[in-house]
Amino acid sequence: MTYSIIGFDPKEKEWGIAVQSKFLGVGAVVPFAEANAGAIATQSYANTRYGPEGLKLLKEGKTAQEVVDLLTEADEDRAFRQLGVIDAHGNAATYTGDKCYNWAGGQTGAFYAAQGNILVSEETVHAMGETFTKTEGTLAERLLKALEAGQNAGGDSRGQQSAALLVVKEKGGYAGFNDRYIDLRVDDHQQPIQELIRIYQLQQLYFAPTKKENILEMSGDLEKTLKTKLRKLGYKTDNLQEALTTYIHTENFEGREQAKGYIDKEVLDYILAQK
């Protein structure tokens, strides 16, 4: 009852999954991934044991196809299952049991596997694969574009409800303590993919590093504009630097904080957009 795409970025060493379904909280069921091991999407009467058991096999050095074969061969209900796997080297495999509800199927290409069931047509899977291949940008951006293309091509024949994006990278998690680089979920929404894209953009604003070209000096008109805006937002601006520091720490923008007298342009734009 779902469609998904899993992908690998060989340059950044990232593995990820994007998924949408007419199902509550699909992010709690379908995506599994571990840095330097691989990624798994388990769906259609999802056997969630495929996640941890598949990752264990991947860490043992099994290929994506070997993992698919081993998991499904051991499952008496494999005819109802659908599965996508990418291994540590980016090899992809997909499986669709012959009792999955139509339309159901999958395809693989360079560093991706796309699959879905109860779809309007096979065009959803084709659109995801083609878009992932042709799109430039980060792995997360390519996965989201592919998911959006899948929906535009028809998507789940029952409609939309939830979506999720999981990307792992060694020490990519918060403060480098784990590999959960991006882990976002929309559990119940009329347009879950668009909401997931909006949340991803916020995630980037809060946690992506500042681009050098976006470091601005707080002087002249910029200083006056920022002081006026912070005052309207309820901050005392007798000392602009203190006011900005307080705002940044209140709004959790510590990762974007700059040296004294400077501000991240994306944070500035965010501040100016507040009402």
Side-chain angles (χ1 to χ4, degrees):
M1 294 80 79
T2 302
Y3 59 96
S4 67
I5 181 163
I6 57 178
F8 171 63
D9 184 330
K11 181 179 179 181
E12 297 296 329
K13 297 296 182 183
E14 296 174 3
W15 292 259
I17 306 141
V19 57
Q20 196 283 144
S21 181
K22 181 67 171 66
F23 183 88
L24 181 68
V26 70
V29 176
V30 171
F32 293 83
E34 186 171 330
N36 301 316
I40 296 171
T42 174
Q43 55 202 51
S44 179
Y45 293 98
N47 184 340
T48 55
R49 290 180 179 176
Y50 281 6
E53 291 178 5
L55 289 174
K56 181 180 178 181
L57 291 170
L58 288 170
K59 286 189 288 186
E60 292 173 358
K62 298 291 191 296
T63 67
Q65 188 61 56
E66 287 173 331
V67 170
V68 166
D69 293 343
L70 288 167
L71 291 176
T72 55
E73 287 170 3
D75 187 350
E76 293 181 356
D77 292 321
R78 56 186 171 273
F80 296 96
R81 314 296 192 201
Q82 191 168 58
L83 174 67
V85 179
I86 282 188
D87 62 30
H89 305 289
N91 302 305
T94 189
Y95 168 87
T96 299
D98 58 17
K99 290 186 179 180
C100 291
Y101 298 140
N102 283 327
W103 186 88
Q107 70 179 50
T108 61
F111 304 129
Y112 82 84
Q115 47 279 315
N117 60 93
I118 315 187
L119 303 181
V120 171
S121 74
E122 61 189 284
E123 289 306 312
T124 289
V125 168
H126 294 333
M128 286 194 293
E130 182 178 12
T131 301
F132 181 84
T133 300
K134 292 183 177 180
T135 300
E136 296 183 356
T138 66
L139 178 60
E141 290 165 349
R142 295 172 69 196
L143 290 171
L144 288 171
K145 285 289 186 181
L147 197 68
E148 187 176 34
Q151 178 59 38
N152 291 338
D156 189 323
S157 62
R158 302 164 307 154
Q160 304 180 65
Q161 186 171 6
S162 64
L165 173 67
L166 174 64
V167 179
V168 297
K169 181 177 186 177
E170 186 174 5
K171 296 183 179 180
Y174 183 74
F177 292 128
N178 59 35
D179 67 1
R180 203 163 61 246
Y181 183 43
I182 300 171
D183 188 358
L184 303 174
R185 300 177 182 181
V186 176
D187 287 341
D188 185 29
H189 198 278
Q190 290 184 345
Q191 294 185 309
I193 296 174
Q194 296 307 311
E195 179 65 4
L196 183 63
I197 291 170
R198 185 188 72 83
I199 293 174
Y200 167 73
Q201 291 169 345
L202 278 178
Q203 191 271 348
Q204 290 294 286
L205 173 63
Y206 281 98
F207 301 116
T210 300
K211 298 176 182 177
K212 290 182 179 180
E213 63 269 24
N214 283 345
I215 300 176
L216 305 178
E217 185 177 0
M218 293 192 300
S219 60
D221 290 341
L222 188 157
E223 182 179 12
K224 293 177 183 177
T225 299
L226 181 58
K227 184 176 289 189
T228 299
K229 187 63 179 183
L230 285 174
R231 189 181 302 117
K232 287 182 178 179
L233 293 174
Y235 291 84
K236 296 180 180 180
T237 57
D238 294 339
N239 186 315
L240 179 58
Q241 185 66 52
E242 288 184 5
L244 177 61
T245 299
T246 300
Y247 179 88
I248 285 174
H249 291 184
T250 299
E251 298 296 326
N252 296 311
F253 284 126
E254 288 89 348
R256 295 271 188 169
E257 194 167 8
Q258 302 302 309
K260 184 177 180 180
Y262 293 86
I263 186 171
D264 182 310
K265 182 181 182 299
E266 292 185 67
V267 172
L268 174 64
D269 291 342
Y270 182 86
I271 294 172
L272 297 179
Q274 300 309 298
K275 296 182 180 179

